[in-house]
């Protein structure tokens, strides 16, 4: 694990320290003058950071296994969310439902609505994992040993192709994911907190705990060995193809979860998939770069840092839109990423030796 080490002779470290002190002073002032708004903004920022962290974790898993940035993560997020919509809104099985409407058997069962929704989402995530496996087997596995730039371009082609197909499904009308929490929530003073905030945070927490234990399993150790040196891993008898397949399957599942929460507060109010859903991956990209492309903990910290900066800037600088422009919150993650890279060029937790696409 890479460690941050403060060096008073480094100007960039002094800039980081100044930002930290400024953040503490700002938080103390806001708590004294408007604690309710501060806390609701904090919960909102943690929710957005959790969504970014989910997407970032998918990037990291695939990069650690294949050494390639998966530019198709946004399209996978949108298609995964569409799978969920097919299962819970149309109550049909995804993909097959394009040709024959086969009812979702889970909705034929009794029981509470939220349980049927949850089980249907799990099945939809299974379809997302299957899609990731197919993509890996057909387009990535044959490129083992080939230039990494070519593999990266293949993922870029996948992004464009899959996104066009997904956009056709929402071109006429948006597709709901029928989230059981809807737009409900509760008030803290003058602030409002959506239930979706907690759903995003809990999902991200479960995902990171699962990855934490996975990396301590036999397959997880194999994946870390492949990330360190593929040729040495092959010499030790590790099945590289299986590692690739698991990384792509898990990456597609994480992308689908990110796509689901990209339709919810605090990102969207509609609760439905539209043509912007796939852009969530590009919004999360600063979190991936800031945390370090090959770092799981970096994905979490980077996601939370970027989400917090974006939401707090949107809340407390909203009175300056005449100067900053109405879309300034979307620029904030990239500003944070640039500052972070000035301090740590390989990301806060990235491995300095990496020199890949």
């Amino acid at each position: 694990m890479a460690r941050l080490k403060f060096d008073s002779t480094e100007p960039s470290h002094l800039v980081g320290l100044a930002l930290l002190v400024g953040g503490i002073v700002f938080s103390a002032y806001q708590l004294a003058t408007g604690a309710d708004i501060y806390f609701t903004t904090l919960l909102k920022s943690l929710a957005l950071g959790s969504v970014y962290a989910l997407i970032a974790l998918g990037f990291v898993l695939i990069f650690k296994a294949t050494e390639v940035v998966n530019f198709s993560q946004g399209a996978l997020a949108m298609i995964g969310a569409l799978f969920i919509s097919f299962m819970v809104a149309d109550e049909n099985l995804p993909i097959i439902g394009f040709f024959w409407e086969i009812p979702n058997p889970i909705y034929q069962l009794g029981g509470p609505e939220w349980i049927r929704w949850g089980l249907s989402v799990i099945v939809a995530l299974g379809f997302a994992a299957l899609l990731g496996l197919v993509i890996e087997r057909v387009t990535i596995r044959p490129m083992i040993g080939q230039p990494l730039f070519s593999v990266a371009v293949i993922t870029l082609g996948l992004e464009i192709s899959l996104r066009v197909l997904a956009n056709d499904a929402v071109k006429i009308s948006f597709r709901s994911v029928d989230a059981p929490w809807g737009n409900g929530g509760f008030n803290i003073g003058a602030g409002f907190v959506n239930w979706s905030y907690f759903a995003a945070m809990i999902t991200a927490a479960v995902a990171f705990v699962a990855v934490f234990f996975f990396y301590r399993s036999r397959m997880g150790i194999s994946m870390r060995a492949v990330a360190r040196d593929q040729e040495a891993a092959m010499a030790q008898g590790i099945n590289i193809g299986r590692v690739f397949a698991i990384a792509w399957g898990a990456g597609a599942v994480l992308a689908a979860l990110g796509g689901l929460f990209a339709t919810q507060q605090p990102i969207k109010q509609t609760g439905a998939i539209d043509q912007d859903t796939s852009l969530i991956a590009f919004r999360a990209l600063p979190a991936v770069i800031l945390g370090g492309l090959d770092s799981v903990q970096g994905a979490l910290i980077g996601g939370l840092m970027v989400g917090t900066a974006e939401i707090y800037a949107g809340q407390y600088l909203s009175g300056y839109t005449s100067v900053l422009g109405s879309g300034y919150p979307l620029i904030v993650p990239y500003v944070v990423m640039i500052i972070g890279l000035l301090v740590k060029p390989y990301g806060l937790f990235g491995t300095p030796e990496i020199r890949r696409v």
Side-chain angles (χ1 to χ4, degrees):
M1 173 180 172
R3 293 183 178 180
L4 296 176
K5 184 178 180 181
F6 180 75
D7 184 351
S8 61
T9 64
E10 284 286 339
S12 58
H13 290 197
L14 294 176
V15 171
L17 178 62
L19 290 173
L20 178 62
V21 173
I24 294 173
V25 173
F26 168 80
S27 297
Y29 174 76
Q30 294 301 330
L31 282 171
T33 58
D36 52 347
I37 297 298
Y38 183 85
F39 276 121
T40 53
T41 304
L42 176 63
L43 290 172
K44 189 176 181 180
S45 65
L46 292 176
L48 181 62
S50 297
V51 179
Y52 287 166
L54 279 172
I55 298 286
L57 185 58
F59 273 109
V60 168
L61 286 182
I62 291 177
F63 184 85
K64 283 178 75 71
T66 65
E67 305 178 348
V68 172
V69 176
N70 174 26
F71 290 108
S72 65
Q73 198 74 353
L76 290 175
M78 187 171 180
I79 290 181
L82 281 172
F83 286 166
I84 294 173
S85 178
F86 290 143
M87 291 286 291
V88 301
D90 296 353
E91 299 183 11
N92 289 323
L93 294 179
I95 302 178
I96 297 172
F98 278 122
F99 308 100
W100 304 283
E101 291 190 354
I102 299 179
N104 174 6
I106 297 173
Y107 273 81
Q108 309 302 316
L109 305 174
E113 175 73 15
W114 66 271
I115 290 181
R116 290 185 290 175
W117 184 89
L119 292 175
S120 297
V121 168
I122 291 173
V123 175
L125 294 179
F127 278 98
L130 181 62
L131 176 63
L133 293 175
V134 170
I135 289 175
E136 185 277 331
R137 191 68 183 86
V138 174
T139 65
I140 305 300
R141 185 89 59 97
M143 296 297 290
I144 291 179
Q146 301 302 317
L148 295 176
F149 177 77
S150 299
V151 185
V153 170
I154 286 176
T155 68
L156 188 60
L158 287 169
E159 162 69 18
I160 296 171
S161 304
L162 295 174
R163 181 150 51 87
V164 169
L165 291 174
N167 282 343
D168 286 342
V170 297
K171 190 173 292 182
I172 298 176
S173 61
F174 300 159
R175 297 191 63 88
S176 172
V177 295
D178 276 350
W181 50 79
N183 284 321
F186 59 93
N187 287 92
I188 298 179
F192 186 77
V193 178
N194 289 86
W195 293 120
S196 60
Y197 297 175
F198 297 98
M201 288 187 277
I202 292 171
T203 302
V206 170
F208 276 89
V209 169
V211 171
F212 174 83
F213 284 107
F214 170 74
Y215 271 122
R216 280 150 182 78
S217 68
R218 185 179 180 85
M219 179 52 67
I221 293 172
S222 298
M223 185 174 287
R224 284 190 289 170
V226 171
R228 187 173 295 273
D229 190 325
Q230 284 190 11
E231 293 183 358
M234 291 177 68
Q236 294 297 318
I238 294 175
N239 188 330
I240 301 291
R242 183 181 298 173
V243 171
F244 277 27
I246 291 175
W248 271 85
V253 168
L254 291 166
L257 288 171
L260 167 64
F261 287 106
T263 67
Q264 305 296 306
Q265 288 278 15
I267 298 174
K268 288 280 186 178
Q269 295 182 348
T270 59
I273 305 161
D274 58 29
Q275 296 190 33
D276 291 337
T277 301
S278 64
L279 298 181
I280 186 64
F282 291 102
R283 291 181 62 177
L285 196 57
V288 184
I289 304 299
L290 178 66
L293 262 172
D294 64 336
S295 172
V296 172
Q297 62 266 41
L300 177 61
I301 301 299
L304 293 178
M305 287 180 66
V306 167
T308 299
E310 181 178 332
I311 293 297
Y312 272 89
Q315 174 66 37
Y316 290 102
L317 297 179
S318 58
Y320 302 95
T321 52
S322 59
V323 178
L324 300 173
S326 59
Y328 75 91
L330 297 178
I331 301 173
V332 172
Y334 292 91
V335 175
V336 174
M337 178 188 72
I338 291 171
I339 294 173
L341 291 180
L342 288 173
V343 178
K344 298 280 286 186
Y346 294 97
L348 297 178
F349 299 93
T351 304
E353 291 81 7
I354 290 176
R355 292 176 295 176
R356 296 162 183 154
V357 177

